[in-house]
Amino acid sequence: MFRTALRNVLAHKARLLMTVLAVMLGVAFVSGTLVFTDTLGNAFRNQSSKSYDKVAVAVTSYGSRDDAEREPGVSKQTLQKIEKLDGVASATGRVDGFAGVAGTDGKLIGQGWANKGGNFAPGQDGKDPAYTFAQGSGPVKDDQIALDKDTADKGEYSVGDSVRVATNGPVKTYKLAGVFTTEDGAVNAGGSLVLFDTAVAQQLYLKPGYFQNVSVAATPGTDSQKILTEVKPLLPKDADAKTGQALADQEAKDIEKGLSGLNQTLLAFAAIALFVGIFLISNTFTMLVAQRTRELALMRAVGASRGQVRRSVLAEALVVGTIASAIGFALGLGLATGLRSAMGAFGAKLPDGPLIVSATPVIAALAVGVLVTLIAALLPAWRAAKIPPVAAMNSVHGVATTKSLVVRNSIGGVITLAGAAAVMAGAAAGKDGKILIGLGAFLALVGIIILIPLLSRPIIALVRPALSKAFGVSGKLASQNAVRNPRRTGATASALAIGLTLVTGLSVLGVTLGTAIDRMTTDNIKADYMVQMAANGSGLDKDVLSALRKAPGVSAVSPKESSYLQLDGHDQSVAGVTPGDIEKVISVEPVSGSLATLGQGQIAVDDKTAAKHNWKPGSKVAVEFADKKKGELTIGATFKENEFLDSVLAPTSVLDPHDTKPYIPQIFVKTDGGATSANEKALVSALGDNPAISIMDQQDIRNEFGGMINTLLNIMYGLLAMALIIAVLGVVNTLAMSVFERQQEIGMLRAIGLDRRKVKRMIRLEAIVISMFGAVIGIGLGSFLAWAIGQTIKKSIPNYALVIPWDRIGIFLLLAGLVGVLAAMWPARSAAKLNMLTAIKTE
C-alpha cells in the first residue's frame, strides 16, 4: 500500500505541486518568523552583553535639573570617590539627551525620537572606550562635536565641516572634530548620536559637575558584587546601582519580551495562511480520490481493507507534507534573511550576528507542515475508505448523498446562527463585548465555510442570465460548471472568502477610524499651523512661543501647555492657554459663562467635568498648584467637551508662576492669509531654522494622526498576501482538476462546434465566477464583523461613524476577478489543446 501511495504521488506531479506550494508557503512563514526573531534576539542580546562586557557596576541617577530640593545626578566628587575604591580600574560619567543634526537641506537627519546627544569621556589615553573613531578625534572644546558615521554619511559631513545641531534650546553651529562607529541602540534604530565635550553636555542636559550615569570597570580578579556593595553608600538617594551582568540579563529579558509580540503577530498570519491552505490540500486529495474511484474500488475487491485504503491516502499526505516542510523550511531561512535586509532598508540598522537556526523552527516546520497536510487529508481518506468494491464495475465517481448534504447544511446553519448571535450580542455589549465578538466571528466564519456549497447555487444563479447574455454558450456553460460540484466550488471559494473577510474587515475599520480622526482634526483645529518638537516627545521652550508671536503675519498664538492641578481635592488635567487667542486656533464651544473671563485669571471647565462636581460659572474652587502652593480659583465658563483640550483651561499667567519650566507639547498658530509657503517660511525663520521643530499645516496634522493607520493597513495587506496567494493556487487546482474530469465533455463540445477560443473563455469565466463568489462572501462577512467591532470602540472615539470604503471594495472585487483570469490561464490552455477524438474516448 505504501508503494501504491508513492506511485500515486509521482503520477500526479503537477496537481500535487500546488498542494506542496500551499504547505510550503505556510511553513516558510512559520519557520522564517521563528528564525528571524531568534536571530534578532540573539543579535540584540550579544550587543547588550557587549555593551556591559567591561562594566562591573552601572550607576543610574533619577534626579532632575529642575528640582532644587534634590541632587540632579551623581556629582564629580562622588565619581572621584568611586574611582578610589579598591578594585576599581576606572569610573566613567555619562550625560545624554536630545540632539538633532541638520542635513545640508536644513531638515532633521534621523527618526527624531532616536536622535541623541551625549558626552565624550576620554580616559588617560585620550580615548573613550565606548567609541571607535574612523576619522578625526573626540571633541575637547566647547565648539566641537563628533558624529556617528551613519549620520555623517547622510549629511555628507567630513571632519572640519560646520554642523548645525539643535537641542532643547536654540540651534548652534559646531565644528566636526571626528566621526565614530558605535553599537548604540539609538543609531541602530535609525537615529543619530552627537558627542559633545563633557562640560558642554552637562550644561545642555543636566548641570555642570553632574552625571546621569556612571560605568565602573573593575581590575582583573575583582568581584563585581564587592564593588557594588561599596558603591551604593556613596550614591545620592535618587540613584541606583546594579552589576553589569544583572543589567545585561535584564536587557536580555526585555528584548525577549519585546520580540514576543512581533513573533506572535507574524505567527498569527502564518496560521491564517495555513488555515487557508487546508482547503486547498483537502480539495486536492478529494479530487484525486474521486478520480481514482475505480482504482480504489478494485483494491477493495482484491482484498484491501478500509484501513489499508485510508492509510494509503494518508501516506500520500505524509510524503507530500514532509517534502513541502523541508522545502518550506529552506525557503523560511531565505525569508528570515530577507526580513532582516528589509528592516535595514527602512532605516533600522540591526546589530551584526549570524543566522540562528535552533531546533525549535526545524521541529515546528516539520510538525506544522506534516500535521496540516494530514489533517486536511483525513476527510478525503475517510471517504476513500468508504468506496464500495462494486464501484469498480462502472466509471461513476462517488456522489454526495442527500442525507450527507442535509446534515452538513443543518450543522452549518446552526453554527452560523450561533456565531451571528454572539457577534450581535458582543456589539450590543459595547466595550466589554470584544471577546464575545471574537468567538462569534470564529463560529460565523466556520459556519459560512460549511454552508458555502449550499450558498453557491442561488448566488451564482443570479449572474447566470448576465453571463449567458454577454458571452453566449461559453457564459452559460461556465455558470453551470461552477455549481456542478458545489462542495468543490465551496472549498475553493472558502480560501478566498477567508482572506477577503480579514482584508475587508481591516479596511472598513481602518478607513472608519481614519475618517473619524480626520473629522476630529478639521472640526476642532482652526489654526493654520501646529508647532511641536520633531517626534522626540520633549516639550517646546517658552522662547519658541515668544518667537512665534513676533513672527510677521501671525494673528493668534496659543500653547496647549500640559499641567495638573488639584481642584477641590480632585486631580484635573489642565491646558495652559492664551486668553483671547485659544478660541481662534481651536474650536471651543461655550456652554455657560464667557471665555473672556480667562483674561481675568479665571478658569474654564468642560461641561461633563463641571456636572460631575456640580461646578458652574462663579463657583470658587480650592486649588493646589504643581509646586504644592495652595490658593483659590474662580470658574468663569464651561465649554463643550473637546478631545483636543484638557478638562480644564487656565491662562498661562496663572500656571507659569508655579512651574519654572512648563511642559508645552504643542503651540497652535493662526496667520493672516492662512497656510501659505510665505507664512510657513516666516515661521521657520522666526524659529532660527531649527531642524528639531516641526511646523505642520492642517494636512500635515491629519497625516500625523491618521498616517499610522494607513501604514498599519499596508503592513496587514502585505502579511495577508500569503493567504491570498494560496487561495489563488486553490482556484488553479480546482480548474485543472475540473478540466481533467471533463475531458470527454470538452471533446464533445469541440466536436459539435465550440472552438478553442470559446473553450478558453468558458474556463476563464468559470474561474471568475468562483473567485467573485468567494470575494462577495468575504466582503459581506468582513463588513459585518467590522461594524460589530466598531460598536465596541465608538464611545471612546469622537465623531465615530461606520464608513464603507466602496472604492477599496471595488478594487477587491476587481482583484478577485483578476485572480480568476490569472488562475485560469494554464487550465484554459490545457482545455483548448485537448485532442477532441482522444478526449471523446476518455472515460
Side-chain angles (χ1 to χ4, degrees):
M1 295 302 291
F2 186 70
R3 285 198 300 272
T4 303
L6 287 176
R7 178 181 61 79
N8 287 328
V9 169
L10 296 174
H12 302 92
K13 300 182 188 71
R15 293 166 201 142
L16 287 172
L17 175 62
M18 284 175 281
T19 303
V20 169
L21 283 172
V23 181
M24 181 185 74
L25 290 173
V27 169
F29 215 146
V30 172
S31 58
T33 293
L34 293 173
V35 171
F36 173 66
T37 51
D38 283 350
T39 300
L40 209 59
N42 181 72
F44 279 120
R45 281 191 294 272
N46 287 344
Q47 182 192 55
S48 173
S49 177
K50 186 178 178 181
S51 63
Y52 290 109
D53 190 33
K54 297 180 181 180
V55 177
V57 173
V59 178
T60 304
S61 170
Y62 303 99
S64 170
R65 68 186 296 175
D66 300 318
D67 192 340
E69 297 180 2
R70 298 188 300 175
E71 277 197 89
V74 178
S75 66
K76 184 177 180 180
Q77 291 77 13
T78 301
L79 183 67
Q80 291 171 343
K81 290 178 183 178
I82 293 172
E83 285 181 317
K84 293 177 181 178
L85 293 174
D86 288 338
V88 172
S90 65
T92 306
R94 301 285 183 191
V95 286
D96 59 60
F98 170 74
V101 179
T104 51
D105 58 358
K107 295 181 179 180
L108 186 70
I109 296 175
Q111 301 293 329
W113 57 270
N115 290 342
K116 283 177 55 179
N119 65 306
F120 175 66
Q124 293 181 354
D125 58 356
K127 297 181 180 180
D128 189 328
Y131 310 105
T132 302
F133 278 81
Q135 300 174 34
S137 59
V140 291
K141 296 180 180 179
D142 291 356
D143 64 344
Q144 291 181 336
I145 60 164
L147 291 177
D148 68 273
K149 189 175 185 303
D150 287 347
T151 303
D153 289 343
K154 290 174 186 176
E156 299 180 355
Y157 289 122
S158 300
V159 173
D161 288 349
S162 295
V163 183
R164 296 175 66 248
V165 180
T167 55
N168 291 331
V171 180
K172 291 184 179 179
T173 300
Y174 298 86
K175 183 172 287 187
L176 185 61
V179 176
F180 59 89
T181 57
T182 178
E183 290 295 322
D184 188 276
V187 176
N188 286 335
S192 62
L193 179 59
V194 183
L195 295 182
F196 301 92
D197 177 61
T198 295
V200 174
Q202 288 175 329
Q203 183 67 43
L204 287 171
Y205 300 126
L206 200 58
K207 194 175 180 180
Y210 285 89
F211 300 94
Q212 290 162 321
N213 306 297
V214 176
S215 297
V216 182
T219 55
T222 304
D223 182 26
S224 298
Q225 195 63 44
K226 172 182 174 294
I227 296 177
L228 178 66
T229 304
E230 294 178 352
V231 165
K232 279 190 172 182
L234 303 177
L235 302 178
K237 63 179 181 179
D238 293 313
D240 187 26
K242 291 182 180 179
T243 63
Q245 185 60 52
L247 286 173
D249 292 343
Q250 183 60 49
E251 279 202 15
K253 289 179 182 178
D254 293 341
I255 289 167
E256 187 174 346
K257 185 177 179 182
L259 289 174
S260 66
L262 174 64
N263 199 22
Q264 290 168 10
T265 301
L266 292 175
L267 287 176
F269 283 95
I272 292 168
L274 286 166
F275 184 57
V276 171
I278 285 175
F279 293 95
L280 169 56
I281 300 163
S282 181
N283 225 8
T284 300
F285 278 96
T286 297
M287 289 184 279
L288 288 175
V289 166
Q291 289 171 12
R292 302 206 318 264
T293 300
R294 292 187 68 185
E295 176 189 327
L296 294 171
L298 281 169
M299 289 172 62
R300 291 291 314 283
V302 298
S305 67
R306 287 187 175 186
Q308 285 179 310
V309 171
R310 189 182 303 116
R311 287 192 292 274
S312 172
V313 176
L314 291 177
E316 290 183 48
L318 179 64
V319 172
V320 171
T322 303
I323 293 171
S325 298
I327 299 172
F329 178 74
L331 189 63
L333 296 180
L335 180 63
T337 305
L339 282 171
R340 187 169 179 174
S341 300
M343 289 187 72
F346 282 106
K349 181 185 173 185
L350 302 179
D352 292 330
L355 198 68
I356 302 300
V357 183
S358 63
T360 301
V362 177
I363 294 170
L366 287 171
V368 167
V370 172
L371 281 175
V372 165
T373 310
L374 288 175
I375 289 169
L378 275 175
L379 187 58
W382 178 72
R383 287 176 181 161
K386 289 181 67 179
I387 295 174
V390 73
M393 305 300 177
N394 57 61
S395 60
V396 178
H397 300 325
V399 179
T401 64
T402 303
K403 181 181 176 182
S404 69
L405 291 174
V406 170
V407 170
R408 175 181 177 137
N409 294 335
S410 300
I411 293 172
V414 170
I415 293 175
T416 303
L417 287 173
V423 171
M424 296 292 288
K431 65 179 182 179
D432 298 322
K434 292 176 183 176
I435 295 177
L436 200 55
I437 289 175
L439 174 63
F442 176 74
L443 291 175
L445 190 59
V446 170
I448 290 291
I449 289 169
I450 295 172
L451 284 177
I452 269 186
L454 176 67
L455 296 173
S456 63
R457 288 186 181 275
I459 293 178
I460 293 176
L462 293 175
V463 300
R464 186 178 297 169
L467 285 173
S468 298
K469 187 175 181 180
F471 301 101
V473 67
S474 295
K476 183 177 181 180
L477 289 171
S479 60
Q480 289 175 343
N481 290 333
V483 294
R484 173 181 291 186
N485 190 329
R487 280 185 169 173
R488 182 189 300 165
T489 297
T492 306
S494 294
L496 275 171
I498 294 167
L500 280 170
T501 294
L502 297 170
V503 169
T504 303
L506 288 170
S507 297
V508 172
L509 275 177
V511 171
T512 298
L513 290 173
T515 303
I517 290 171
D518 195 60
R519 286 176 185 159
M520 185 172 66
T521 304
T522 54
D523 290 351
N524 292 311
I525 296 182
K526 294 180 180 179
D528 297 312
Y529 297 100
M530 183 175 79
V531 179
Q532 64 180 24
M533 290 297 286
N536 75 318
S538 61
L540 295 160
D541 195 83
K542 289 181 72 174
D543 292 341
V544 172
L545 188 59
S546 302
L548 289 171
R549 285 179 175 146
K550 296 174 183 176
V554 171
S555 58
V557 177
S558 178
K560 198 182 81 168
E561 193 174 297
S562 183
S563 185
Y564 285 88
L565 298 178
Q566 269 203 353
L567 299 178
D568 279 349
H570 303 286
D571 288 332
Q572 299 290 341
S573 61
V574 181
V577 299
T578 302
D581 282 1
I582 185 62
E583 309 97 296
K584 298 175 183 177
V585 295
I586 295 180
S587 294
V588 187
E589 186 178 333
V591 174
S592 60
S594 172
L595 292 172
T597 56
L598 288 171
Q600 301 167 16
Q602 298 182 11
I603 61 174
V605 183
D606 73 61
D607 52 352
K608 290 186 178 179
T609 303
K612 180 180 178 180
H613 300 291
N614 199 26
W615 293 335
K616 56 186 178 181
S619 298
K620 295 187 181 298
V621 292
V623 60
E624 183 178 305
F625 292 98
D627 59 358
K628 305 301 181 184
K629 291 184 179 179
K630 298 181 179 180
E632 187 178 74
L633 290 173
T634 301
I635 296 175
T638 62
F639 61 93
K640 188 176 180 180
E641 187 182 35
N642 186 319
E643 54 273 8
F644 263 89
L645 292 171
D646 296 84
S647 55
V648 177
L649 301 183
T652 53
S653 59
V654 171
L655 299 177
D656 289 356
H658 302 279
D659 193 345
T660 55
K661 188 171 182 176
Y663 177 59
I664 307 175
Q666 292 113 14
I667 297 174
F668 295 91
V669 182
K670 189 78 173 173
T671 56
D672 297 329
T676 64
S677 57
N679 281 336
E680 184 174 347
K681 188 175 180 180
L683 296 181
V684 170
S685 298
L687 297 176
D689 291 328
N690 192 326
I693 296 178
S694 173
I695 299 173
M696 297 184 288
D697 60 21
Q698 288 216 356
Q699 185 58 51
D700 293 331
I701 297 170
R702 286 197 290 269
N703 293 340
E704 173 84 3
F705 289 105
M708 183 61 71
I709 292 174
N710 289 327
T711 301
L712 288 173
L713 273 179
N714 290 333
I715 292 172
M716 296 296 183
Y717 290 159
L719 292 172
L720 287 171
M722 188 77 74
L724 294 175
I725 290 171
I726 294 173
V728 172
L729 292 175
V731 179
V732 175
N733 209 19
T734 296
L735 292 173
M737 295 293 188
S738 179
V739 168
F740 179 83
E741 287 181 359
R742 295 182 350 236
Q743 287 187 65
Q744 188 179 60
E745 175 189 315
I746 293 170
M748 291 293 293
L749 290 171
R750 292 273 289 111
I752 62 176
L754 195 70
D755 60 27
R756 290 185 175 182
R757 184 172 56 85
K758 289 181 179 178
V759 169
K760 286 183 179 180
R761 183 185 297 165
M762 177 183 71
I763 302 298
R764 288 195 198 101
L765 289 173
E766 183 181 346
I768 292 170
V769 166
I770 293 173
S771 299
M772 295 291 280
F773 168 58
V776 168
I777 295 293
I779 287 169
L781 185 57
S783 299
F784 172 62
L785 295 178
W787 165 81
I789 294 170
Q791 295 298 108
T792 67
I793 60 176
K794 68 176 185 178
K795 289 186 178 178
S796 60
I797 299 176
N799 300 311
Y800 182 91
L802 187 69
V803 177
I804 303 296
W806 296 110
D807 54 343
R808 297 196 188 195
I809 287 176
I811 291 171
F812 297 157
L813 287 171
L814 285 174
L815 289 175
L818 181 61
V819 162
V821 171
L822 294 175
M825 288 179 67
W826 173 51
R829 188 165 175 240
S830 299
K833 288 174 67 178
L834 284 175
N835 182 291
M836 68 177 73
L837 294 177
T838 304
I840 289 172
K841 291 188 293 182
T842 302
E843 292 188 356

